[in-house]
Amino acid sequence: MTTRPLRFGIWALVHGSRAAYQDPEEPYDASWERNRDLVLAAEELGYDSTLIAQHTINPHQEDLDQLEAWSAASAIAALTSKIEIIAAIKPYLYHPVVLAKLALGIENISRGRFAINLVSAWNRPELDKAGIGFAEHDARYGYGREWITVVSRLMQGERLTYKGEHFDIRDYVLRPTSLYRPRPLIYVGGESEPARALVADHGDVWFINGQPLEDVAGLIADVAARPRAAQPLRFGLSAFVIVRETQAEAQAAYQRLLDLSKKDAPIKAIQKQNTDPKVVMMQTMQKSARVGSNGGTAAGLVGSYDEVADRIVAFHAAGIELFMLQFQPFEAEMERFAKEIIPRVRRTEPPPAVDRSPALVGSGRPSR
């Protein structure tokens, strides 16, 4: 079991609803205003983190709105005071020098609450239509490995000279670095072998897509056993949550969303056509019916209040520290979870020995 306290986060609604787009209880809304208010409400409710996914164009249907991740992250950093802000990044879209500079800027705006989530992309048109090109699966991870090497070292304040296959960096240094810790945290997504090797070598936290407990435990065991030069790796899990007073009520709510999601079949067909078939997340999601993205309800967080709280405790015992959660309708269900599930889970925890900070090493006051 991880000795770190449990943390709970929310997915920002950068491209609208997570389960079904044609839900009368949650009209499509990916606006800045909604996302701002959502994260502020989450912070007030006691959530620890928010993940802002990155897409330049909507990954499901190009005429639907799509919030830009990094400008939104910067604005949210200035408006909040406690919640961790994780912005996803696809390496081909930003040169590592530019991205490292952006990350350090948001790190200091947020006073040490910023993190990046390295993802290697699955949506082919996003890169192809920009003329960047969509490299083969393992080649994308090779590029990402070199990219994060540069970003990580620059974020730590190193004066960097680096020559690789993709980048030629000469005597480059960024100031200011983080005023609060050595650098922002690095989250890594992906479950293929290249992804596992990458997170073991360069990540601080591995994001695992929603799956049954036994599968998650196996993934954690595999990656945790790999040698690391850094601190022990931490683990997060994505999950779509449906909780009610009784199991029957939760299953009825799940069936409602499952039926609504069937109306999105044309959108899902577009997504499938645009997706690299080698992406493990998409392979995993074909194994069973589910709602939500990034594994969705496959993590089994559908049930009564006590059942879901018990499952979360079991995942924590297997090594999951951070739960990155989805809901629908989001605001109402996020509040229900905060009031009914988080207190139940907290009662099972020993008194915290450490602060619930996302810091890499140390946190708090500026070092200079």
Side-chain angles (χ1 to χ4, degrees):
M1 178 175 178
T2 175
T3 58
R4 297 189 66 87
L6 266 170
R7 298 193 293 135
F8 296 101
I10 62 158
W11 285 76
L13 294 175
V14 295
H15 49 72
S17 305
R18 283 285 167 178
Y21 278 177
Q22 301 182 58
D23 184 355
E25 295 185 17
E26 185 174 82
Y28 189 92
D29 186 355
S31 66
W32 153 246
E33 289 79 9
R34 185 191 186 187
N35 279 277
R36 174 199 62 198
D37 294 347
L38 179 72
V39 176
L40 288 171
E43 183 175 65
E44 184 67 23
L45 287 167
Y47 286 89
D48 303 287
S49 187
T50 186
L51 174 58
I52 307 174
Q54 185 194 45
H55 301 284
T56 53
I57 55 177
N58 191 287
H60 306 298
Q61 189 169 307
E62 64 179 8
D63 60 349
L64 292 174
D65 289 349
Q66 172 67 54
L67 189 70
E68 199 287 308
W70 281 68
S71 56
S74 181
I76 289 170
L79 293 172
T80 54
S81 60
K82 295 177 291 184
I83 198 165
E84 179 190 28
I85 302 157
I86 309 170
I89 180 64
K90 297 168 184 172
Y92 285 97
L93 294 176
Y94 285 88
H95 190 281
V97 167
V98 176
L99 191 284
K101 184 65 175 177
L102 287 170
L104 288 171
I106 304 176
E107 164 78 353
N108 288 328
I109 291 170
S110 69
R111 298 178 63 84
R113 293 180 289 117
F114 186 63
I116 67 173
N117 177 30
L118 178 64
V119 293
S120 289
W122 52 264
N123 188 28
R124 185 182 302 274
E126 187 171 35
L127 298 179
D128 268 351
K129 288 185 176 182
I132 296 169
F134 193 77
E136 187 271 336
H137 179 274
D138 289 6
R140 294 200 305 277
Y141 276 97
Y143 184 93
R145 174 178 285 274
E146 190 172 313
W147 185 95
I148 196 61
T149 298
V150 173
V151 169
S152 180
R153 292 168 68 178
L154 286 174
M155 287 196 304
Q156 292 180 83
E158 180 178 342
R159 180 177 294 276
L160 182 63
T161 295
Y162 177 93
K163 177 71 172 178
E165 179 182 354
H166 303 288
F167 304 110
D168 183 6
I169 313 297
R170 305 171 193 175
D171 194 33
Y172 221 102
V173 64
L174 298 177
R175 292 292 184 271
T177 54
S178 174
L179 304 178
Y180 303 91
R181 52 186 175 171
R183 61 161 171 77
L185 285 177
I186 298 171
Y187 289 73
V188 178
E191 292 160 23
S192 65
E193 177 52 36
R196 298 183 198 197
L198 177 60
V199 71
D201 290 342
H202 293 283
D204 300 306
V205 187
W206 188 27
F207 261 141
I208 301 171
N209 291 305
Q211 297 170 54
L213 175 60
E214 58 272 20
D215 294 343
V216 170
L219 291 169
I220 290 174
D222 175 78
V223 175
R226 301 185 183 212
R228 278 173 61 81
Q231 297 179 18
L233 190 64
R234 296 151 56 183
F235 300 93
L237 183 73
S238 176
F240 193 102
V241 180
I242 303 174
V243 292
R244 295 292 186 274
E245 289 189 7
T246 68
Q247 169 68 229
E249 290 174 309
Q251 286 299 321
Y254 167 71
Q255 190 62 50
R256 184 188 83 87
L257 289 175
L258 191 62
D259 291 342
L260 282 170
S261 71
K262 293 174 182 176
K263 297 181 180 181
D264 296 331
I267 292 176
K268 293 176 181 177
I270 294 171
Q271 179 182 352
K272 184 176 181 180
Q273 180 181 350
N274 291 338
T275 298
D276 179 356
K278 291 185 178 181
V279 172
V280 173
M281 176 183 71
M282 300 305 181
Q283 297 171 8
T284 302
M285 290 186 67
Q286 302 306 313
K287 293 181 180 180
S288 62
R290 64 194 69 193
V291 298
S293 69
N294 296 83
T297 51
L301 301 190
V302 178
S304 70
Y305 299 146
D306 288 337
E307 287 171 334
V308 169
D310 288 346
R311 288 172 193 160
I312 289 170
V313 171
F315 275 113
H316 187 228
I320 294 299
E321 171 214 340
L322 173 63
F323 290 83
M324 194 58 66
L325 304 176
Q326 304 171 6
F327 307 94
Q328 190 165 333
F330 208 106
E331 288 84 350
E333 295 302 318
M334 175 179 76
E335 183 174 356
R336 185 198 300 268
F337 184 91
K339 291 182 176 179
E340 299 291 349
I341 306 302
I342 294 180
R344 283 173 164 83
V345 172
R346 295 287 183 232
R347 286 196 290 269
T348 71
E349 291 185 289
V354 294
D355 179 47
R356 278 194 181 86
S357 166
L360 178 66
V361 181
S363 62
R365 298 289 179 256
S367 59
R368 62 179 184 274

